[in-house]
Amino acid sequence: MQPAVPARACGIDFGTSNSTVGWWRPGQDPLIALEGEEPTLPSVVFFNLEERRPVYGRQALAEYLEGYEGRLMRSLKSLLGSKLLKSETTVLGSAMPFRDILGLFLGTLKTRAETVAGRSFEQVVLGRPVFFVDDDPQADREATEMLEAAARKLGFSEVSFQFEPIAAAFDYESRISREERVLIVDIGGGTSDFSLVRLSPERRVLDDRQADILATGGVHIGGTDFDKQLSLAGVMPLFGYGSRMKSDAPMPTSTHLNLATWHTINAVYAPASQRALQSMRYDIVDPTGIDRLFSLIEQRAGHWLAMQVEQGKIELTEAERHVIDFARIEPQLQAELRRDDFDTAIEPLLERIGRSIDELLLAAGLARDGVDTVFFTGGSSAVPALRRCVASRLPGARQVEGNRFGSIGSGLAIEAHKRYG
């Protein structure tokens, strides 16, 4: 019988695109409202230069789009495992280490959760991808250590971790009526994580579930990588991507790659980057695209463009085509995104995801017909081509839709309750 008192600890799902905090309470939804009534807080910080303050989540995006001067930073989780986390950047006129920016956002999650809960949290279970960094155990370990250090600096005296797909599995297990072997497919903003687990109503009361975890795996591919490929295939050609120089060489692509990648967008505004573009302007056969690129950079509209592409990806989940209006850059300029082009653009990424699932089945010693259910979670898990990729490997498995943004946080709340009471 479950106790009638709330858990002592919380679980935090610090996501690439969205974050949640889970707190187990009897008879209640475990997700805590973090922004108004919303249980998700977009993982965004905007340093408002005019009012000299940081703002977070939807408010950060709103102030940026309203035209306030400042610095927008998104996909903060992508810093973990990267060399950037050991460096610093300029915000509000001063140098600030990237790890401190990450700490600011985590601190906001903690403070908002405690305000709504009406109590403080000293214990936490943090969600983490199976791999922060592919094929680099040292970088992966450093990312974990940095995240733990940030949590302890915020006042958490006890910090532990759970793989994000395992947390999602525990959320799914709370609703099943029979034993199942389940493949958890968690396609987040920055990573694709997989777990094969044995779940049942009888086993969910056990404290030690290690024997039920049949295999875990993952690859550093997520929704932001889908966005990047969609941007390069469907949008960046309007801004000079693929243009030819008079020497017949292709135009250098570093600016377009930075614009198509959330956490490197600000690099295109650097004076050195703009000087490099200016120096090649008259060496391009058709300067139409690069002139649009100059207009976009002058407006500092890189994040706005990335948001349009992300929305396009979301729309293509249901629609066959989506049109982006770029009239703010040039009258009547539009980009038509088509689902079949998107599918082609992300095909190499899906091949890597498929291989990771194959490796997972091999590690678990399971045949393809040995999986009963595929449980999808994560913001990009609804991409049709991704679903087909998984279904082609497990055609007999039942497909179940989880809460794309809440399953992990809910599962972490269950785990925090088990670990800390």
Side-chain angles (χ1 to χ4, degrees):
M1 182 175 179
Q2 292 181 328
V5 295
R8 296 170 58 223
C10 68
I12 293 181
D13 174 24
F14 171 40
T16 302
S17 300
N18 292 276
S19 296
T20 60
V21 179
W23 177 39
W24 187 89
R25 294 156 288 174
Q28 296 186 52
D29 188 323
L31 295 182
I32 296 176
L34 297 176
E35 193 169 20
E37 298 297 317
E38 296 291 340
T40 58
L41 184 70
S43 304
V44 184
V45 182
F46 179 60
F47 293 93
N48 188 315
L49 186 59
E50 297 177 36
E51 300 182 8
R52 303 200 63 78
R53 58 181 172 81
V55 291
Y56 306 90
R58 294 169 184 81
Q59 182 184 356
L61 292 170
E63 292 192 8
Y64 168 78
L65 292 174
E66 286 171 14
Y68 283 91
E69 286 293 321
R71 174 82 179 272
L72 184 75
M73 302 189 70
R74 190 173 176 183
S75 298
L76 298 171
K77 188 178 179 180
S78 299
L79 295 170
L80 289 167
S82 76
K83 295 179 181 178
L84 280 176
L85 197 59
K86 298 180 181 180
S87 60
E88 58 186 25
T89 189
T90 300
V91 294
L92 303 180
S94 302
M96 179 180 289
F98 278 106
R99 68 177 62 192
D100 288 355
I101 296 172
L102 186 148
L104 279 175
F105 185 79
L106 287 175
T108 295
L109 291 175
K110 183 175 189 289
T111 299
R112 293 190 182 193
E114 290 176 337
T115 298
V116 173
R119 52 151 296 166
S120 62
F121 292 111
E122 295 183 1
Q123 298 85 17
V124 65
V125 178
L126 293 170
R128 58 151 295 165
V130 175
F131 301 113
F132 279 109
V133 185
D134 293 342
D135 302 320
D136 191 338
Q138 181 177 346
D140 190 79
R141 184 170 55 254
E142 289 177 354
T144 307
E145 291 171 351
M146 287 182 177
L147 187 54
E148 179 177 352
R152 292 190 181 280
K153 188 175 181 179
L154 293 171
F156 287 113
S157 59
E158 296 181 73
V159 179
S160 58
F161 291 88
Q162 181 57 274
F163 290 139
E164 290 159 357
I166 297 297
F170 293 155
D171 176 52
Y172 174 61
E173 187 179 47
S174 68
R175 302 189 294 278
I176 64 175
S177 58
R178 61 180 178 83
E179 181 170 310
E180 300 177 24
R181 282 177 291 191
V182 182
L183 170 64
I184 308 296
V185 177
D186 172 22
I187 312 296
T191 58
S192 294
D193 293 302
F194 314 103
S195 291
L196 271 167
V197 291
R198 181 170 53 242
L199 304 176
S200 74
E202 296 76 23
R203 307 187 73 79
R204 64 185 173 217
V205 299
L206 301 177
D207 290 332
D208 184 1
R209 301 297 301 275
Q210 193 60 41
D212 293 328
I213 301 172
L214 307 179
T216 58
V219 62
H220 205 264
I221 294 172
T224 55
D225 299 289
F226 294 164
D227 295 346
K228 178 178 180 177
Q229 296 307 315
L230 180 59
S231 182
L232 291 173
V235 173
M236 289 302 159
L238 295 175
F239 296 90
Y241 183 62
S243 294
R244 307 300 298 185
M245 309 293 285
K246 292 177 181 177
S247 64
D248 201 38
M251 174 184 174
T253 62
S254 59
T255 300
H256 300 103
L257 292 174
N258 283 334
L259 272 176
T261 307
W262 274 107
H263 63 278
T264 59
I265 289 172
N266 287 303
V268 306
Y269 305 134
S273 176
Q274 295 188 55
R275 285 196 297 269
L277 281 176
Q278 290 285 357
S279 69
M280 71 177 73
R281 161 67 173 74
Y282 296 102
D283 290 328
I284 292 179
V285 175
D286 181 357
T288 304
I290 196 171
D291 287 342
R292 291 172 181 155
L293 185 58
F294 287 134
S295 178
L296 184 142
I297 292 172
E298 183 180 357
Q299 295 183 41
R300 298 181 74 86
H303 287 92
W304 171 84
L305 181 147
M307 281 185 258
Q308 305 310 304
V309 173
E310 181 184 36
Q311 186 59 38
K313 175 192 68 178
I314 294 169
E315 295 295 332
L316 290 177
T317 298
E318 302 292 339
E320 294 293 330
R321 62 186 292 274
H322 176 73
V323 175
I324 300 177
D325 186 352
F326 285 119
R328 67 177 287 180
I329 306 298
E330 178 183 301
Q332 300 182 336
L333 182 64
Q334 294 182 332
E336 181 180 3
L337 306 179
R338 302 187 64 85
R339 186 194 287 178
D340 54 356
D341 294 331
F342 177 44
D343 293 350
T344 299
I346 65 173
E347 187 174 346
L349 303 181
L350 296 179
E351 288 177 0
R352 290 176 58 194
I353 288 173
R355 287 197 299 271
S356 184
I357 293 174
D358 292 339
E359 292 166 3
L360 193 76
L361 291 169
L362 185 63
L366 279 183
R368 294 188 176 193
D369 60 2
V371 177
D372 301 305
T373 305
V374 179
F375 180 77
F376 289 97
T377 187
S380 290
S381 64
V383 170
L386 180 279
R387 293 290 180 97
R388 292 195 299 272
C389 172
V390 176
S392 69
R393 284 166 167 80
L394 301 167
R398 184 170 64 105
Q399 294 195 0
V400 175
E401 185 83 32
N403 182 329
R404 292 182 201 166
F405 301 105
S407 290
I408 294 172
S410 296
L412 290 172
I414 294 171
E415 186 71 355
H417 176 229
K418 283 185 178 180
R419 291 186 185 183
Y420 299 112

